[in-house]
Amino acid sequence: MKTSDKRRDIMQAALELIAEQGFHRAPMAEIAEKAGVAAGTIYRYFESKDVLITKLHRELEDKIMAVLQEGYPSGRPLRERFLYLIRELLRYFITNPLHFRYMEQYFNSPYGISMHRDRLLGKSGNQDILMDIFDQGIEQQVLKEFPKAVLFSLAFGPMIFLMRDHIFDFIVLDEALIKQITEACWDAIKR
Amino acid sequence: MKTSDKRRDIMQAALELIAEQGFHRAPMAEIAEKAGVAAGTIYRYFESKDVLITKLHRELEDKIMAVLQEGYPSGRPLRERFLYLIRELLRYFITNPLHFRYMEQYFNSPYGISMHRDRLLGKSGNQDILMDIFDQGIEQQVLKEFPKAVLFSLAFGPMIFLMRDHIFDFIVLDEALIKQITEACWDAIKR
Amino acid sequence: MKTSDKRRDIMQAALELIAEQGFHRAPMAEIAEKAGVAAGTIYRYFESKDVLITKLHRELEDKIMAVLQEGYPSGRPLRERFLYLIRELLRYFITNPLHFRYMEQYFNSPYGISMHRDRLLGKSGNQDILMDIFDQGIEQQVLKEFPKAVLFSLAFGPMIFLMRDHIFDFIVLDEALIKQITEACWDAIKR
Amino acid sequence: MKTSDKRRDIMQAALELIAEQGFHRAPMAEIAEKAGVAAGTIYRYFESKDVLITKLHRELEDKIMAVLQEGYPSGRPLRERFLYLIRELLRYFITNPLHFRYMEQYFNSPYGISMHRDRLLGKSGNQDILMDIFDQGIEQQVLKEFPKAVLFSLAFGPMIFLMRDHIFDFIVLDEALIKQITEACWDAIKR
DNA sequence: GATGAATGAGGCTTCATTCAT
DNA sequence: CATGAATGAAGCCTCATTCAT
């Protein structure tokens, strides 16, 4: 394969450790051990811990985006597309809790700030389906006339909180609840 | 003075450093320097960094609770009380951005988990005005029939996100926008 | 009184803490607290922790010597005087276990070396009843012809060990056992 | 080499420093310097200072036990075996004074207490030749009918004291003196 | 390429001592 | 005389990173 197995193993080990313990309780030595490589080896694939963290984030983001785009109902009404996005993201994170924990850590760290800035300014590189929905929704007067950051917060804020609660077993997100929640999010942004 | 100046200075320095840099980038030595005291001095006032962090959180929480309760429209309808809470909290954090950043750090840390658990289980000690609103709202069939964790997420999640955006200048939360946002949050939870 | 109460309190507090915790786990601040004085006050009575430790040792030693001399059967045979000394010392330490623990700490520390040297060289200032017994015992050919350090070790070594065992409840030193032990010590040194 | 040189160097440095200065005056930094390694390196070989201290003790104990067992006259009478043990131990410590000083420090520390307890209760793991002698000696009515702790004290107490005196040059333990001393110890415990 | 032992800066905390009140 | 808050050196330990093999 293009990217070597070692590279994969390191990223996986880093993902698990960081998701479970946080950045600063995930020593490179432990990541190496978990990955089954020597500590020094990590530095053949990643210049520094910072770079590893950033690359890992980018990879997770790409993967998530890919999943969201897979069955994305492009031609369907805004509401349906919105509900799809939130629902699938919740499902993805429920299936991959470590990915959620990692993204959360990343978001709540100096790294996360600039990433978020880029996204809101449309510089994220990826075409951003969610932002597209907001653009269109405002234009078509289906959504409240909010800045995109506000729409984003109304749509995503609850989801992040709920995932936390789900992971810590404060709540059980079953399909019925997910449906209701996504609709509640829609209620918040729809005109 | 009632509580010594030094204690205040230390808490203020810790607040600023932790709010701006996070727990791990706020070494005791730096807190001490910023507070204008020797490193050892901190330990006359706080047993450990953990205790300092926890006490600081408690103080901020108390202060915020006090502010929220000050003009709280106890006798008024649920909706009005809800809007009041979200609005005043936003205002408070806009006025005291460091407090917001600190609370956020705390929330996204092992400390925050158990605190949140207690809150959802009603063990928070303080009477919890927000949870009361949820209880009553469900009973009176004004709110959607969600677990409290869900209502909490729908109400608070967006606010946290927005505050972040505001602090990093991705958005400007003026009074008009605050009004609209709080109403959008209400839309999300109202039946 | 001649020596102020504070001085007494400090020494008593130091005795207790050091006996129980050892020198380095007996912070001056804690000694002060236990003594009911301010930390700085200690330094009015003792130049430094070292001086406090040394003075305390000297005081204990004086006290013990006084006790031993009180009923000392000067005119009686060597054996009787020897048995008396060992027995009374054991009794004293059983009654005052903190004194024993303190003396032990002191003995097993850099302080203890020079003290011991002085004693063996007869420079201890105090007239030394035990050493006198040894001198006479050798002269009268009642004791084995050992250097005094050897006689001292044969007489005292077991006692120190036994006191430790007694304090830690590995053994119970009752009167019958004390009698037998002192006689065993005599057996070791008598010709 | 079997065990790395660094590990050896660290243990040797620790042995020397602790034997000469005691635990508290043997900072890890100094041990590292004396061993010719960086401070952090110690922690590759020993989890903590406590572990280093304990491992070092165990190694010394094993070594001493091995020496004592080497020429041990198993089949010979009690008295001979007893004299052998005390004599060889004295010789060993005279040859390896740092080992003695270290063991002494260890014995006079919280570590030493529980070790000693285990020994007296026969839980020491190693078969304990000395305790065996005591058991048999009591049974065969060769020794005084003392608790083992007492026999132990009568046999070991003097030796410890004498070694101290020897190391500090208060006395010279030559072969003639050693012979006489071991016999005096026997006198103390024999019926 | 891979290893993993070694490094040493930096983090938290303790405590003997000082000094302004 | 007495206070006790303040100091800061020094102790133990962690961990990102390097480099000889």
Side-chain angles (χ1 to χ4, degrees):
Chain A
M1 334 152 187
K2 224 173 195 168
T3 49
S4 100
D5 277 337
K6 289 222 162 82
R7 188 188 167 88
R8 273 261 55 75
D9 295 344
I10 292 166
M11 290 185 100
Q12 182 60 27
L15 166 64
E16 291 174 21
L17 270 172
I18 293 173
E20 283 161 8
Q21 323 255 20
F23 293 129
H24 61 290
R25 294 213 189 158
M28 292 297 260
E30 216 168 317
I31 292 174
E33 194 190 19
K34 191 160 204 159
V37 302
T41 304
I42 298 184
Y43 290 85
R44 298 215 135 277
Y45 296 93
F46 307 94
E47 286 171 59
S48 69
K49 194 177 183 182
D50 264 27
V51 168
L52 167 57
I53 287 171
T54 307
K55 289 250 177 81
L56 185 43
H57 166 260
R58 202 162 305 163
E59 194 174 271
L60 289 181
E61 196 175 51
D62 288 351
K63 196 171 170 193
I64 293 168
M65 285 305 167
V67 167
L68 290 186
Q69 274 162 341
E70 218 176 72
Y72 186 61
S74 307
R76 312 286 303 158
L78 269 179
R79 180 173 182 276
E80 193 174 331
R81 278 144 59 200
F82 175 82
L83 294 182
Y84 174 87
L85 277 185
I86 303 289
R87 184 182 66 235
E88 290 307 312
L89 198 47
L90 272 173
R91 281 183 184 159
Y92 180 87
F93 281 144
I94 288 169
T95 312
N96 304 281
L98 289 180
H99 293 200
F100 173 76
R101 298 274 278 142
Y102 186 90
M103 294 301 272
E104 203 191 3
Q105 303 267 0
Y106 192 85
F107 190 67
N108 293 306
S109 79
Y111 307 113
I113 304 301
S114 58
M115 171 196 75
H116 189 51
R117 170 185 291 116
D118 291 347
R119 170 157 225 187
L120 290 178
L121 300 180
K123 292 185 185 167
S124 87
N126 299 320
Q127 70 168 109
D128 196 326
I129 1 181
L130 190 66
M131 289 304 163
D132 290 349
I133 291 180
F134 292 158
D135 279 333
Q136 297 167 28
I138 293 169
E139 197 190 356
Q140 299 172 18
Q141 304 197 345
V142 178
L143 297 182
K144 286 166 182 157
E145 210 169 345
F146 282 142
K148 277 195 289 191
V150 174
L151 293 174
F152 184 85
S153 299
L154 288 168
F156 265 66
M159 212 201 55
I160 303 301
F161 266 58
L162 284 166
M163 274 307 304
R164 263 182 70 119
D165 288 352
H166 175 80
I167 281 173
F168 290 111
D169 277 337
F170 301 156
I171 199 183
V172 176
L173 288 177
D174 55 27
E175 283 296 320
L177 198 49
I178 289 177
K179 185 166 189 296
Q180 291 174 294
I181 287 164
T182 51
E183 282 168 357
C185 286
W186 176 257
D187 289 343
I189 61 172
K190 80 141 190 271
R191 194 175 282 241
Chain B
M1 321 120 209
K2 227 172 193 171
T3 47
S4 128
D5 276 340
K6 290 241 159 71
R7 189 188 165 89
R8 274 261 61 74
D9 295 345
I10 291 165
M11 288 187 102
Q12 183 61 27
L15 169 63
E16 291 174 22
L17 269 171
I18 294 174
E20 283 161 9
Q21 322 256 19
F23 294 129
H24 323 306
R25 302 202 194 185
M28 292 300 258
E30 216 168 319
I31 293 175
E33 194 188 18
K34 189 160 205 159
V37 302
T41 302
I42 299 182
Y43 292 85
R44 288 199 56 72
Y45 297 95
F46 306 94
E47 291 169 52
S48 67
K49 192 176 183 180
D50 261 29
V51 168
L52 168 56
I53 287 170
T54 307
K55 288 251 177 81
L56 190 42
H57 166 262
R58 201 163 306 162
E59 193 173 274
L60 292 181
E61 196 176 51
D62 287 350
K63 200 170 168 190
I64 294 168
M65 286 303 167
V67 167
L68 291 186
Q69 273 162 341
E70 218 177 71
Y72 185 61
S74 306
R76 310 288 303 158
L78 271 179
R79 179 172 183 276
E80 193 174 331
R81 277 144 61 200
F82 176 82
L83 294 182
Y84 174 88
L85 277 186
I86 302 290
R87 184 182 65 234
E88 290 306 313
L89 199 47
L90 273 173
R91 280 184 185 157
Y92 179 87
F93 281 145
I94 288 168
T95 313
N96 305 281
L98 288 179
H99 294 200
F100 172 76
R101 296 277 279 146
Y102 187 90
M103 294 302 272
E104 204 190 2
Q105 301 273 359
Y106 192 86
F107 190 69
N108 293 305
S109 80
Y111 307 112
I113 305 298
S114 59
M115 177 192 70
H116 188 51
R117 170 186 291 116
D118 290 347
R119 172 156 221 191
L120 290 178
L121 299 179
K123 291 186 185 168
S124 87
N126 300 322
Q127 67 167 112
D128 196 326
I129 353 181
L130 191 66
M131 290 301 164
D132 289 350
I133 291 180
F134 292 158
D135 279 332
Q136 296 167 27
I138 294 169
E139 197 191 356
Q140 300 172 17
Q141 307 197 342
V142 178
L143 297 182
K144 289 166 180 157
E145 211 168 345
F146 281 141
K148 276 197 288 192
V150 174
L151 293 175
F152 185 84
S153 299
L154 289 168
F156 264 64
M159 211 200 57
I160 303 301
F161 267 59
L162 284 165
M163 274 306 307
R164 267 180 70 119
D165 289 350
H166 174 82
I167 282 172
F168 292 110
D169 278 337
F170 302 154
I171 197 183
V172 176
L173 288 177
D174 56 27
E175 281 297 319
L177 199 48
I178 290 176
K179 185 165 189 300
Q180 291 174 294
I181 288 164
T182 53
E183 282 168 356
C185 285
W186 176 256
D187 289 343
I189 62 172
K190 79 139 191 275
R191 195 176 280 242
Chain C
M1 329 148 193
K2 225 172 193 171
T3 49
S4 100
D5 277 338
K6 289 219 163 86
R7 189 188 167 88
R8 274 262 55 75
D9 295 343
I10 292 165
M11 290 186 101
Q12 182 60 27
L15 168 62
E16 291 174 22
L17 269 172
I18 293 173
E20 283 162 8
Q21 323 255 20
F23 293 129
H24 60 291
R25 294 212 190 158
M28 293 297 260
E30 217 169 317
I31 293 174
E33 194 190 19
K34 192 161 202 158
V37 303
T41 303
I42 299 183
Y43 290 84
R44 299 214 134 276
Y45 296 93
F46 307 94
E47 285 170 59
S48 69
K49 194 178 183 181
D50 264 27
V51 169
L52 167 57
I53 287 171
T54 307
K55 289 250 177 83
L56 185 44
H57 166 262
R58 201 161 305 162
E59 195 174 271
L60 290 180
E61 197 175 49
D62 288 351
K63 195 170 172 192
I64 294 168
M65 286 306 168
V67 167
L68 290 186
Q69 274 162 341
E70 217 176 72
Y72 187 61
S74 308
R76 311 285 304 155
L78 270 179
R79 180 174 183 276
E80 194 175 330
R81 277 144 61 201
F82 176 82
L83 294 182
Y84 174 88
L85 277 185
I86 303 289
R87 185 183 64 234
E88 290 306 313
L89 199 47
L90 273 173
R91 282 184 185 158
Y92 179 87
F93 281 145
I94 289 169
T95 313
N96 305 280
L98 289 180
H99 294 201
F100 173 76
R101 298 274 278 143
Y102 187 91
M103 295 301 272
E104 203 192 3
Q105 303 269 358
Y106 191 86
F107 190 68
N108 293 307
S109 78
Y111 307 114
I113 304 301
S114 57
M115 172 196 73
H116 189 51
R117 170 185 292 115
D118 290 348
R119 171 157 225 187
L120 290 178
L121 300 180
K123 293 186 185 166
S124 88
N126 299 321
Q127 69 168 108
D128 196 327
I129 0 181
L130 191 65
M131 291 302 164
D132 290 350
I133 291 181
F134 292 158
D135 280 333
Q136 298 167 29
I138 293 169
E139 196 190 356
Q140 301 171 18
Q141 305 197 344
V142 179
L143 297 182
K144 289 166 180 155
E145 211 170 344
F146 282 143
K148 277 196 289 192
V150 174
L151 294 174
F152 185 85
S153 300
L154 289 167
F156 266 66
M159 212 201 56
I160 304 300
F161 267 58
L162 284 166
M163 273 306 306
R164 263 180 71 118
D165 289 352
H166 175 80
I167 282 173
F168 290 112
D169 277 337
F170 300 156
I171 198 184
V172 176
L173 289 177
D174 55 26
E175 283 296 321
L177 199 49
I178 289 177
K179 184 166 190 298
Q180 292 175 291
I181 287 164
T182 52
E183 282 168 356
C185 286
W186 177 255
D187 289 343
I189 62 172
K190 79 140 187 274
R191 195 176 283 241
Chain D
M1 322 115 210
K2 225 171 193 173
T3 47
S4 131
D5 276 340
K6 289 241 159 75
R7 189 189 166 88
R8 275 261 60 76
D9 295 345
I10 292 165
M11 288 187 102
Q12 184 60 28
L15 169 62
E16 291 174 23
L17 270 171
I18 293 173
E20 283 161 9
Q21 322 256 19
F23 296 128
H24 323 306
R25 301 203 195 183
M28 293 299 259
E30 215 167 319
I31 293 175
E33 195 188 18
K34 189 161 205 158
V37 301
T41 302
I42 299 181
Y43 292 86
R44 288 198 57 71
Y45 297 94
F46 306 94
E47 291 168 52
S48 67
K49 193 177 182 180
D50 261 30
V51 169
L52 168 56
I53 287 171
T54 307
K55 288 250 177 81
L56 189 41
H57 166 262
R58 200 163 306 163
E59 193 173 274
L60 292 181
E61 196 175 51
D62 287 351
K63 199 169 169 190
I64 293 168
M65 285 304 167
V67 167
L68 290 187
Q69 274 163 340
E70 218 176 73
Y72 187 61
S74 306
R76 310 288 303 158
L78 271 179
R79 179 172 183 277
E80 194 175 331
R81 277 145 60 201
F82 176 83
L83 294 182
Y84 174 88
L85 277 186
I86 303 288
R87 183 182 67 234
E88 291 306 313
L89 199 47
L90 273 173
R91 281 184 185 159
Y92 180 88
F93 281 144
I94 288 167
T95 314
N96 305 281
L98 288 179
H99 293 201
F100 172 75
R101 296 277 280 146
Y102 187 91
M103 295 301 272
E104 205 191 2
Q105 301 274 358
Y106 192 86
F107 189 69
N108 292 305
S109 79
Y111 307 112
I113 304 299
S114 58
M115 178 192 68
H116 188 51
R117 171 186 291 116
D118 290 348
R119 174 156 220 190
L120 290 178
L121 299 179
K123 292 185 182 167
S124 88
N126 299 323
Q127 67 168 112
D128 196 326
I129 353 181
L130 190 66
M131 290 301 164
D132 289 350
I133 291 181
F134 292 159
D135 279 331
Q136 297 167 28
I138 293 170
E139 198 190 354
Q140 300 172 19
Q141 305 197 345
V142 179
L143 297 182
K144 289 169 181 154
E145 211 169 344
F146 281 142
K148 277 196 289 193
V150 173
L151 294 174
F152 185 85
S153 300
L154 288 167
F156 265 66
M159 212 200 57
I160 304 301
F161 267 59
L162 284 165
M163 274 307 307
R164 268 181 68 120
D165 288 351
H166 174 82
I167 282 173
F168 292 111
D169 278 337
F170 300 156
I171 198 183
V172 176
L173 288 177
D174 56 27
E175 282 296 319
L177 199 47
I178 289 176
K179 185 166 188 299
Q180 291 174 292
I181 287 164
T182 53
E183 282 169 355
C185 286
W186 177 256
D187 289 343
I189 62 172
K190 80 138 188 275
R191 195 175 281 241

